[in-house]
Amino acid sequence: QSGKDYTKYIENLRNKMKQLLFKRNDSELVLAFIRVFIGFAFIYHGYGKFFNPIKWEWLGSQVPIIGEYGFIKSPLGFMAAFSEFIGGICLCLGLMSRVFYTLLSFTMLTASYYHFIKAEYLTLSLVYLIIIIALNYSGPDKYTLDSKIKVKLT
């Protein structure tokens, strides 16, 4: 009888693990975790750019075609720094997520282009880009401030 009890115990444990791992209600929690993690990554990468205006002109000059014009380099660099640092904060909070997903998509597309042209390692910017596009496509999760204050910016 102990063999049967053990088999029932294992089957019961297996069913509980399936419920825990594959429950549809937990997908929003996973999306929130990914959103917050990516938000912290962008805060980390954007902090030095946002608080150092000297870098803005260089960042803006990396934008293909448009960045070649001198008067627009600093504003474009500021937008890249803004989208990474402020966007990272807003992603962590879940505030205006889709707006910042769009801004960050352009920033990561430009970063990927820059690394591709320089024949450098471009995996990180592409990974960020793919994650941002996937999060934008999946829509806001229920753990965002947007969902709490009923802001719809889609």
Side-chain angles (χ1 to χ4, degrees), residues 81-112:
F82 177 83
S83 69
E84 286 187 23
F85 184 69
I86 302 299
I89 292 170
C90 287
L91 288 184
C92 286
L93 298 173
L95 189 62
M96 298 190 317
S97 298
R98 289 230 164 147
V99 172
F100 284 106
Y101 287 148
T102 304
L103 290 173
L104 286 166
S105 294
F106 285 114
T107 302
M108 289 300 103
L109 191 62
T110 303
S112 297

Side-chain angles (χ1 to χ4, degrees), residues 5-154:
D5 290 340
Y6 180 73
T7 307
K8 274 187 182 178
Y9 174 77
I10 294 296
E11 189 63 35
N12 190 19
L13 187 63
R14 185 178 298 148
N15 288 335
K16 285 183 181 180
M17 289 298 289
K18 283 182 185 178
Q19 287 176 352
L20 195 84
L21 293 175
F22 302 111
K23 197 180 343 176
R24 297 288 291 167
N25 297 342
D26 291 333
S27 63
E28 297 219 11
L29 185 61
V30 171
L31 288 174
F33 175 77
I34 294 169
R35 178 180 44 79
V36 170
F37 181 81
I38 290 295
F40 278 119
F42 278 116
I43 291 170
Y44 173 78
H45 289 292
Y47 179 82
K49 298 170 191 167
F50 188 73
F51 291 107
N52 189 358
I54 296 169
K55 289 187 177 183
W56 295 351
E57 187 171 347
W58 179 84
L59 286 170
S61 68
Q62 305 311 310
V63 178
I65 302 168
I66 301 170
E68 295 172 4
Y69 300 105
F71 64 91
I72 199 144
K73 289 180 184 178
S74 289
L76 286 175
F78 170 76
M79 285 305 297
F82 177 83
S83 69
E84 286 187 23
F85 184 69
I86 302 299
I89 292 170
C90 287
L91 288 184
C92 286
L93 298 173
L95 189 62
M96 298 190 317
S97 298
R98 289 230 164 147
V99 172
F100 284 106
Y101 287 148
T102 304
L103 290 173
L104 286 166
S105 294
F106 285 114
T107 302
M108 289 300 103
L109 191 62
T110 303
S112 297
Y113 176 78
Y114 168 78
H115 291 296
F116 177 74
I117 293 299
K118 300 289 184 185
E120 294 178 348
Y121 197 64
L122 64 126
T123 305
L124 188 60
S125 57
L126 280 178
V127 168
Y128 283 155
L129 177 63
I130 290 168
I131 291 171
I132 290 165
I133 290 171
L135 286 171
N136 195 10
Y137 180 76
S138 69
D141 55 77
K142 67 181 180 182
Y143 300 105
T144 61
L145 277 181
D146 287 341
S147 68
K148 302 297 181 215
I149 58 176
K150 306 295 183 207
V151 174
K152 299 295 179 191
L153 294 173
T154 57

